[in-house]
Amino acid sequence: MKQSLKLILIALVGLFLLSACTRSASKPPAYDPTFGDDTPLFGSVDDQIRYATSTAAAIIAKYNLPTEIIHNPQGTPIVVTSTPVPTATPTATPTVTPIVPVVPASWEIQKGETLECLARRFDVSLEDLKAANPGLDAWNLKIGQKIDIPQNSKWPGERSTGLWPRPDIWTVGPDETVYLVACAYGDVWPEEIIQLNNIQDPNDLSGYTELQIP
């Protein structure tokens, strides 16, 4: 349908232009600006071009066709052709799979973590955590050191009380890790921050200036 209309429009404009060239050698009749669909060709070449263009535009508007104006070297619009409009492809909204917290039986200390931080994260009592690791120096934890996590314990009260509120945006400082950032919020798991920010190495945040906190 659209291809046929395009051919009709081109033929229509061609006939108008041919007639205009033939009539330009003789004295044109007086120009009457009030013409309609049944008005014969008249006036100057530019008048007839305007009439042809407006007629083509009216047909395209009637059938709701996309349009493109083509100009001749003098800048006068001479034809209107249909141009396909590409269909926009909808962008899929990325989804984040919720992290299901599972309290591990043991944990390996990471850079920036403290015993209180781990007690809050795993929702266990700090005293029970200390009791599960006799002889552990809470003030001298070493990276890579393994500790046992009690399974039948509970942090007293709200784990995030007194810490940073969430959700939040964290400004990354020098030598910080995901584990240190998670400790600032108490009940945030490092895996949540890693997934939300698409972090490849939780111990190297040198390529980040800010982190989204769930």
Side-chain angles (χ1 to χ4, degrees), residues 15-30:
L15 289 174
F16 285 157
L17 293 177
L18 179 61
S19 175
C21 293
T22 303
R23 295 168 60 90
S24 61
S26 60
K27 182 179 180 180

Side-chain angles (χ1 to χ4, degrees), residues 14 16-17 36 42 47 51 66-67 71 81 86 97 111 139 147 150-151 160 168-170 187 189 202-203 210 212:
F16 285 157
L17 293 177
F42 55 82
D47 292 337
Y51 178 74
T67 61
H71 295 77
T81 60
T97 304
K111 182 180 179 180
W139 300 102
I147 62 173
Q151 300 297 300
S160 60
D168 196 15
I169 299 295
W170 178 272
D187 57 349
W189 288 64
N203 289 300
E210 293 182 338
Q212 297 183 61

Side-chain angles (χ1 to χ4, degrees), residues 97-117:
T97 304
I99 298 294
V100 180
V102 177
V103 178
S106 63
W107 181 258
E108 188 174 299
I109 301 296
Q110 303 294 325
K111 182 180 179 180
E113 292 180 331
T114 65
L115 211 59
E116 180 181 346
C117 156

Side-chain angles (χ1 to χ4, degrees), residues 60-153:
I60 286 179
K62 177 179 179 181
Y63 291 97
N64 195 28
L65 299 176
T67 61
E68 176 185 355
I69 305 298
I70 298 178
H71 295 77
N72 66 11
Q74 287 73 37
T76 306
I78 59 174
V79 69
V80 183
T81 60
S82 62
T83 304
V85 177
T87 303
T89 303
T91 303
T93 303
T95 57
V96 177
T97 304
I99 298 294
V100 180
V102 177
V103 178
S106 63
W107 181 258
E108 188 174 299
I109 301 296
Q110 303 294 325
K111 182 180 179 180
E113 292 180 331
T114 65
L115 211 59
E116 180 181 346
C117 156
L118 296 175
R120 286 178 182 264
R121 181 189 305 163
F122 298 136
D123 196 14
V124 300
S125 162
L126 179 58
E127 296 305 318
D128 288 343
L129 183 57
K130 289 179 179 179
N133 297 275
L136 179 67
D137 185 355
W139 300 102
N140 191 28
L141 298 179
K142 294 179 173 57
I143 297 174
Q145 183 178 3
K146 288 187 177 181
I147 62 173
D148 294 326
I149 309 298
Q151 300 297 300
N152 297 309
S153 183

